């Protein structure tokens, strides 16, 4: 991989990294594992003059806090997240989601924080615009959205592809964010704007420092599914995450959350369908139809809206069955 010339700094702490980002401004980029940033630099999606690498900072191991929540360092490698005994025992859905990311080589390099902050993608945006694809799109400062020419200038339908973000949203995770003015905490859902042009609410000099996942309740069930063209390596065609809690009778749903990934500018939730599941005995087939009709998946990477909606319907039903059986102790 041959890149243009740029400056490189390797601070010894996240606080130093934040200071460097703040000092340089928008022309600097944070480099963790680099599995998203470096390919984007290669095709000149981004061209920072300074890379601030946090690769020399050793992440803390996942730990259980006094309140029962799990703290996970944002610099934790995805491979370590998969293998961590605490994660496997307490948050197996998170370990499974991390295991679906790309290949083992990517998981060894990629970090949890980097996976959450990966750029949105589309086939036109993620191209080297030099001979075949010459004109830049809106997201790259151009005059047209070439995949969707009818879009207004402030509308970008690039798709957010993280495999792990839907899981952390479903688990009510919170993020500890470090910036020039100290730390702040936000809900995982508040990280995303739903705007393909500017998908994150982070400031230019802010870094996700840690993720906190609260303890799950009794009779908790989960299901996770990722559709891909191949078994590994690929970004998701659609990602489906369902969590729920059953009442003592083992049949009635107390509450449920459904989160979809890789089908929108950010993670999507069919909130009306979720509300209909409260205090009800669930019919997975009916729930799947309702949820798939409630959201509007974005066509992406050769998959049209009809295919994505049907994929979501089929796998929502199967994933919900898995979540119910998990809550009933059958799996």
């Amino acid at each position: 991989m041959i890149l243009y010339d740029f400056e490189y700094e390797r601070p010894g702490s996240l606080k130093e990294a934040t200071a460097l980002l703040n000092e340089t401004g928008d022309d600097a980029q944070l480099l963790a594992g680099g599995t998203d940033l470096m390919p984007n630099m290669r095709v000149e999606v981004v061209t920072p003059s300074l890379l601030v690498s946090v690769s020399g900072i050793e992440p803390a191991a996942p730990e259980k806090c006094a309140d029962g929540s799990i703290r996970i360092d944002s610099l934790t490698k995805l491979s370590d997240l998969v293998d961590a005994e605490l994660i496997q025992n307490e948050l197996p859905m998170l370990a499974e989601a991390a295991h679906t990311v790309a290949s083992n080589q990517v998981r060894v390099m990629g970090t949890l924080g980097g996976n959450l902050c990966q750029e949105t993608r589309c086939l036109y945006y993620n191209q080297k615009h030099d001979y075949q694809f010459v004109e830049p799109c809106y997201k790259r400062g151009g005059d047209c959205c070439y995949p969707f020419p009818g879009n207004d200038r402030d509308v970008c339908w690039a798709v957010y592809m993280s495999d792990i973000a839907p899981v952390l949203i479903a688990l009510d995770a919170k993020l500890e964010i470090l910036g020039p003015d100290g730390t702040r905490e936000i809900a995982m859902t508040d990280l995303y704007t739903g705007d393909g042009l500017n998908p994150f609410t982070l400031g230019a000099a802010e870094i996700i420092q840690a993720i906190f996942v609260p303890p799950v309740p009794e009779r908790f069930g989960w299901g996770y599914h990722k559709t891909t063209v191949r078994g590994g390596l690929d970004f998701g065609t659609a990602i489906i995450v369902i969590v729920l809690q059953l009442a003592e009778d083992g049949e009635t749903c107390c509450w449920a959350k459904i989160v979809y990934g890789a089908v929108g500018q950010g993670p999507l939730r069919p909130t009306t369908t979720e509300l209909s599941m409260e205090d009800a005995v669930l019919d997975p087939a009916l729930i799947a139809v309702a949820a798939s009709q409630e959201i509007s998946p974005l066509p992406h990477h050769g998959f049209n809206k009809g295919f994505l909606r049907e994929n979501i319907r089929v796998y929502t039903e199967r994933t919900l069955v898995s979540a119910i059986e998990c809550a009933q102790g059958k799996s």
Side-chain angles (χ1 to χ4, degrees):
M1 182 186 295
I2 300 174
L3 298 175
Y4 60 90
D5 292 337
F6 54 85
E7 298 297 318
Y8 178 86
E9 295 284 353
R10 196 167 184 254
S13 69
L14 289 185
K15 189 173 182 179
E16 291 178 37
T18 297
L20 283 168
L21 292 172
N22 190 49
E23 188 180 299
T24 309
D26 293 339
D27 214 22
Q29 287 276 341
L30 187 72
L31 174 67
T35 58
D36 184 59
L37 178 60
M38 299 304 285
N40 281 340
M41 289 175 63
R42 182 180 65 82
V43 297
E44 298 182 6
V45 167
V46 290
T47 54
S49 64
L50 170 66
L51 290 186
V52 179
S53 173
V54 292
S55 60
I57 303 172
E58 187 67 27
E63 63 176 343
K64 194 166 189 175
C65 303
D67 63 357
S69 63
I70 306 296
R71 183 192 186 277
I72 309 170
D73 195 306
S74 68
L75 297 181
T76 301
K77 301 293 188 184
L78 298 180
S79 57
D80 293 334
L81 196 62
V82 174
D83 295 335
E85 187 175 345
L86 179 64
I87 302 301
Q88 291 177 354
N89 293 337
E90 301 282 343
L91 302 170
M93 180 170 59
L94 180 56
E96 180 170 330
H99 189 258
T100 68
V101 177
S103 65
N104 187 57
Q105 292 91 333
V106 171
R107 292 191 294 271
V108 167
M109 290 296 297
T111 64
L112 175 56
N115 186 272
L116 301 182
C117 294
Q118 63 185 267
E119 255 291 3
T120 52
R121 301 182 61 83
C122 89
L123 285 177
Y124 193 87
Y125 174 63
N126 294 99
Q127 292 281 353
K128 179 85 168 179
H129 286 229
D130 49 10
Y131 59 98
Q132 182 179 0
F133 302 97
V134 177
E135 298 299 326
C137 62
Y138 288 153
K139 193 171 172 74
R140 297 179 72 167
D143 295 325
C144 184
C145 175
Y146 291 91
F148 303 99
N151 279 356
D152 294 331
R153 182 175 290 276
D154 60 349
V155 176
C156 171
W157 282 351
V159 178
Y160 177 68
M161 309 292 280
S162 170
D163 302 322
I164 297 175
V167 170
L168 292 176
I169 289 173
L171 291 172
D172 282 332
K174 294 187 182 299
L175 305 178
E176 183 180 77
I177 297 171
L178 177 66
D181 299 323
T183 60
R184 64 187 178 100
E185 190 176 274
I186 64 171
M188 182 70 200
T189 53
D190 294 335
L191 178 62
Y192 305 103
T193 64
D195 175 3
L197 290 172
N198 299 288
F200 306 108
T201 60
L202 289 176
E206 288 189 317
I207 302 171
I208 297 174
Q209 183 167 258
I211 297 90
F212 291 87
V213 183
V216 300
E218 294 181 347
R219 300 179 301 279
F220 174 83
W222 62 273
Y224 178 89
H225 173 79
K226 176 183 177 181
T227 296
T228 56
V229 175
R230 297 173 292 179
L233 295 175
D234 288 335
F235 286 99
T237 302
I239 296 164
I240 299 163
V241 176
I242 301 178
V243 298
L244 52 80
Q245 182 186 25
L246 295 183
E248 291 185 1
D249 64 8
E251 297 291 338
T252 305
C253 177
C254 298
W255 56 265
K257 291 182 181 178
I258 303 173
V259 188
Y260 296 117
V263 290
Q265 299 100 316
L268 303 177
R269 287 178 63 184
T271 52
T272 300
T273 302
E274 290 177 350
L275 287 172
S276 73
M277 298 167 73
E278 293 182 5
D279 302 318
V281 176
L282 303 180
D283 183 323
L286 292 178
I287 294 296
V289 171
S292 65
Q293 292 300 314
E294 184 177 344
I295 69 163
S296 181
L298 288 179
H300 68 89
H301 296 85
F303 304 104
N304 63 36
K305 186 183 289 285
F307 172 83
L308 292 172
R309 197 183 292 281
E310 180 64 7
N311 180 283
I312 287 167
R313 182 193 68 79
V314 170
Y315 286 105
T316 295
E317 179 177 353
R318 296 180 186 179
T319 306
L320 179 53
V321 169
S322 296
I324 293 170
E325 291 178 348
C326 177
Q328 293 172 335
K330 297 179 180 179
S331 62

